[in-house]
Amino acid sequence: MSDQLYQERIVALAKAKSGAGKLENPTRTVRRDNPLCGDRVILDVRLDDEGRIAEIGHQVRGCLLCQASASALSAVAVGRDAAGIAELRHDAERALGREPGETHEPFDAFAPVAAHKARQDCVLLPLEALKDALS
Amino acid sequence: MSFDVAAIRGQFPILSEIIDGLPVHYLDNGASAQTPLAVMDAVRHYETTGRANVLRGVHRLAERATESYENARAQVATFLGVPTMEVVFTGGCTAAINLVAFSYGSLLKPGDRILLSELEHHSNIVPWQLLRSRAGIELDMLPVTTDGRIDLSALPRLLTPKTKLVSLAHVSNVTGALLDVRTVVESAKAVGAKVMLDGAQRAPHGPLDLPSLGIDFYAVAGHKAYGPNGIGALWGRPELMEAMPPFMGGGSMIGRVTLAETTWAPSPRRFEAGTPPIGPAIGLGAACAWMETLDWAGAHDHEMALVQRLMDGLQEIDGTQLFGPASLQNRYPVVSFMLDGVHPHDVAQTLDSFGVAVRAGHHCAQPLMDRFDLDGTTRVSMAPYNDNGDIDALLAGVAHAAKTLR
Ligand SMILES: Cc1ncc(COP(=O)(O)O)c(C=O)c1O
């Protein structure tokens, strides 16, 4: 067996389920599907007056990587605006080896996915959804 | 009886490869089967000793190519149990279904109906939806039972005098269920509807006798039946094929072309416009000939023993659930399952790290997944060359996923 992908940190992020669930009064709700694998993310966000994320809730119907990514994202999204979320996206891209540079918590946990090109969209789907919610 | 799996495995070089340090436990045959040396040799023989275009040249290579191509048609026809000139080579199973949807479809009138089922592969749904938007026909859907079979008790309700065609999977690519063709044909004929079977998942499990089925069209995918990619076959009842206009226009399919008008060649040429995939057709012919050499009664028993081993093993893993017939009767070795709390893609990815190849997801049958509210399934699809070692490696991988991912 060569079990490189599902390392403890990714599994722990998925199990933590940070931000899992719906929000009561979301400012925006967006849904993103990956037609290839059927993963689906529904994101609720509540924004403050300056367009920063005050609260975030996600419902993921998808694989462990997608769940872990939504959980990681929710853990660090509050207080960020669109530019701040774009910075997280770069962090995820760096973890996946698609951009040069150093990655940070929590997206550095996804470094094992760099070797699994077919699964990278699973990690990026929640970030795509959040970008939609903020645009 | 003893079915010699080792002898068959020996004919598939890829099965003894070590890839990234892992053996090849190939259980994704429903997506694409592996190909035996006999097929590779036949294609190589054409490419090295007889490569040329078909039907167009008088030189000896062209003659060799034409002879090999037509010989391949005969091999496919023998496998299907039909006369040689009733077999049309297509680009694949999808292409064969689209051909019927276009050419037979162009004979239909607004208000005519086509009956499909909820477990069809997208390639037996979307071509008919395209026809619906083009021609104003209507589609009806047979429901699916909880054990993953097409529910034929709905036939009387859904078949009407307006129904012109019933098009169903001979074997489901998700549940392995075998269609009760006799019942479908009897009911369809009673209202004057034609019957087409999508044989993509049936053809890899042995020779057919299409005339005995009483059907009108049959579609086959080469790459799932141990042949090359980019080739498939369509059989159609000759009187229907002769009445159908071409699907594509081009060379080789004409009677005579003038700028004012063109007359069509008879089938099969009418439906083989342009230079066909000659090498792949020769490979498919060889694959059919290779399948004819197998002991299919033995192979089927062997495959069903693997299905039983798989089902028994899965039952011992907490939280697994089968989706499909629990019985070994009227089924083929395609088995879908779910593991509670673990997404099918994560099951499949874990299995990959055990050297086990399976397919996970919706299997191009989204309406079926929606019907049962599934995220997808993990699908194990077998061929005669699979063995107990493949199943045991898979079970070890599923047990590992169950332990680590939830
Ligand atoms: C039942 C069924 N029909 C049709 C197809 C389409 O075959 P192809 O993609 O080779 O044209 C498949 C392939 O997955 C299938 O399983």
Side-chain angles (χ1 to χ4, degrees):
Chain A
M1 191 198 56
S2 68
D3 204 5
Q4 305 295 335
L5 182 57
Y6 298 110
Q7 295 190 359
E8 259 170 54
R9 280 186 64 205
I10 295 183
V11 178
L13 277 169
K15 285 184 180 169
K17 291 189 187 300
S18 309
K22 291 187 193 181
L23 295 189
E24 281 294 319
N25 294 305
T27 322
R28 299 252 174 83
T29 298
V30 292
R31 172 177 155 179
R32 266 279 189 159
D33 289 272
N34 179 343
L36 284 182
C37 67
D39 282 354
R40 169 189 304 170
V41 175
I42 299 173
L43 274 188
D44 290 337
V45 289
R46 196 163 56 73
L47 302 178
D48 67 15
D49 297 342
E50 269 106 65
R52 285 184 305 239
I53 296 169
E55 209 180 346
I56 181 166
H58 64 79
Q59 298 157 73
V60 174
R61 189 164 174 170
C63 66
L64 188 105
L65 296 179
C66 190
Q67 293 175 33
S69 169
S71 178
L73 181 60
S74 299
V76 294
V78 171
R80 289 178 184 260
D81 57 9
I85 295 301
E87 191 39 52
L88 290 178
R89 166 73 184 238
H90 287 299
D91 227 25
E93 297 271 358
R94 288 191 284 265
L96 299 177
R98 295 156 56 128
E99 283 179 18
E102 216 178 297
T103 61
H104 309 90
E105 275 267 343
F107 282 98
D108 59 341
F110 293 96
V113 192
H116 296 268
K117 223 165 182 338
R119 303 298 302 280
Q120 295 178 358
D121 284 347
C122 309
V123 176
L124 297 176
L125 193 67
L127 284 148
E128 291 281 327
L130 189 50
K131 188 173 145 204
D132 280 359
L134 297 176
S135 63
Chain B
M1 174 227 68
S2 88
F3 177 73
D4 192 351
V5 192
I8 291 183
R9 292 180 71 81
Q11 301 176 51
F12 290 79
I14 202 168
L15 299 178
S16 44
E17 285 289 300
I18 298 293
I19 296 177
D20 297 336
L22 292 165
V24 174
H25 295 295
Y26 193 75
L27 292 165
D28 194 19
N29 297 286
S32 259
Q34 297 301 338
T35 199
L37 284 167
V39 169
M40 295 182 238
D41 288 348
V43 176
R44 187 181 158 85
H45 184 73
Y46 158 72
E47 300 290 358
T48 53
T49 68
R51 181 181 162 95
N53 210 325
V54 289
L55 298 175
R56 295 173 190 183
V58 294
H59 56 79
R60 63 197 62 216
L61 287 182
E63 277 184 3
R64 276 192 179 187
T66 305
E67 195 182 310
S68 307
Y69 181 67
E70 292 306 325
N71 180 50
R73 192 190 307 279
Q75 289 169 316
V76 175
T78 301
F79 178 78
L80 297 176
V82 299
T84 301
M85 293 309 273
E86 293 181 11
V87 170
V88 176
F89 281 121
T90 64
C93 183
T94 303
I97 297 172
N98 275 275
L99 190 165
V100 176
F102 184 90
S103 296
Y104 178 75
S106 71
L107 305 175
L108 301 184
K109 299 188 180 52
D112 284 347
R113 310 186 79 88
I114 290 179
L115 180 57
L116 311 172
S117 89
E118 285 179 350
L119 65 60
E120 299 310 310
H121 188 280
H122 295 166
S123 16
N124 194 26
I125 297 177
V126 183
W128 308 111
Q129 292 176 332
L130 291 171
L131 176 64
R132 178 173 62 188
S133 2
R134 247 188 348 256
I137 56 127
E138 305 287 338
L139 301 180
D140 297 302
M141 292 286 177
L142 283 161
V144 176
T145 62
T146 47
D147 67 343
R149 294 184 184 276
I150 299 175
D151 184 357
L152 299 184
S153 71
L155 276 173
R157 177 167 61 83
L158 291 171
L159 278 170
T160 74
K162 286 270 182 199
T163 309
K164 298 299 174 210
L165 180 73
V166 181
S167 184
L168 300 172
H170 195 183
V171 169
S172 160
N173 69 312
V174 180
T175 69
L178 171 67
L179 182 70
D180 173 359
V181 179
R182 179 193 296 242
T183 299
V184 172
V185 168
E186 272 173 14
S187 315
K189 298 285 141 155
V191 297
K194 309 297 179 206
V195 176
M196 163 140 154
L197 295 184
D198 168 358
Q201 298 293 337
R202 170 58 188 81
H205 300 285
L208 286 143
D209 178 21
L210 296 186
S212 73
L213 296 179
I215 57 162
D216 302 286
F217 298 104
Y218 200 85
V220 170
H223 66 102
K224 296 181 200 285
Y226 320 104
N229 292 305
I231 188 75
L234 172 70
W235 172 78
R237 211 173 263 288
E239 57 272 28
L240 289 172
M241 298 295 271
E242 287 310 325
M244 284 157 47
F247 176 32
M248 292 195 286
S252 300
M253 49 72 74
I254 38 95
R256 182 176 156 69
V257 180
T258 66
L259 290 181
E261 197 186 33
T262 296
T263 58
W264 317 131
S267 184
R269 300 271 178 268
R270 182 185 303 173
F271 301 104
E272 293 181 358
T275 299
I278 303 163
I282 290 166
L284 177 56
C288 287
W290 176 80
M291 285 193 278
E292 296 275 357
T293 67
L294 255 62
D295 159 21
W296 282 100
H300 189 72
D301 288 347
H302 167 69
E303 288 173 335
M304 287 304 119
L306 295 179
V307 168
Q308 189 66 59
R309 188 183 188 90
L310 170 64
M311 287 179 167
D312 292 347
L314 284 176
Q315 238 176 15
E316 284 175 20
I317 300 167
D318 199 31
T320 57
Q321 219 184 316
L322 287 175
F323 176 59
S327 124
L328 299 188
Q329 300 303 309
N330 298 322
R331 75 166 302 146
Y332 280 85
V334 176
V335 180
S336 267
F337 69 94
M338 286 81 74
L339 176 62
D340 278 353
V342 185
H343 193 277
H345 282 129
D346 299 317
V347 176
Q349 188 85 58
T350 303
L351 288 173
D352 177 61
S353 64
F354 283 71
V356 178
V358 296
R359 176 88 184 271
H362 54 59
H363 314 298
C364 297
Q366 274 176 343
L368 181 65
M369 300 294 121
D370 290 347
R371 159 69 181 79
F372 289 94
D373 196 26
L374 298 172
D375 286 340
T377 72
T378 304
R379 180 187 73 180
V380 186
S381 52
M382 302 168 211
Y385 45 67
N386 287 123
D387 61 11
N388 287 343
D390 295 332
I391 301 301
D392 294 347
L394 175 124
L395 291 168
V398 177
H400 182 80
K403 199 169 76 202
T404 55
L405 298 186
R406 59 181 185 187

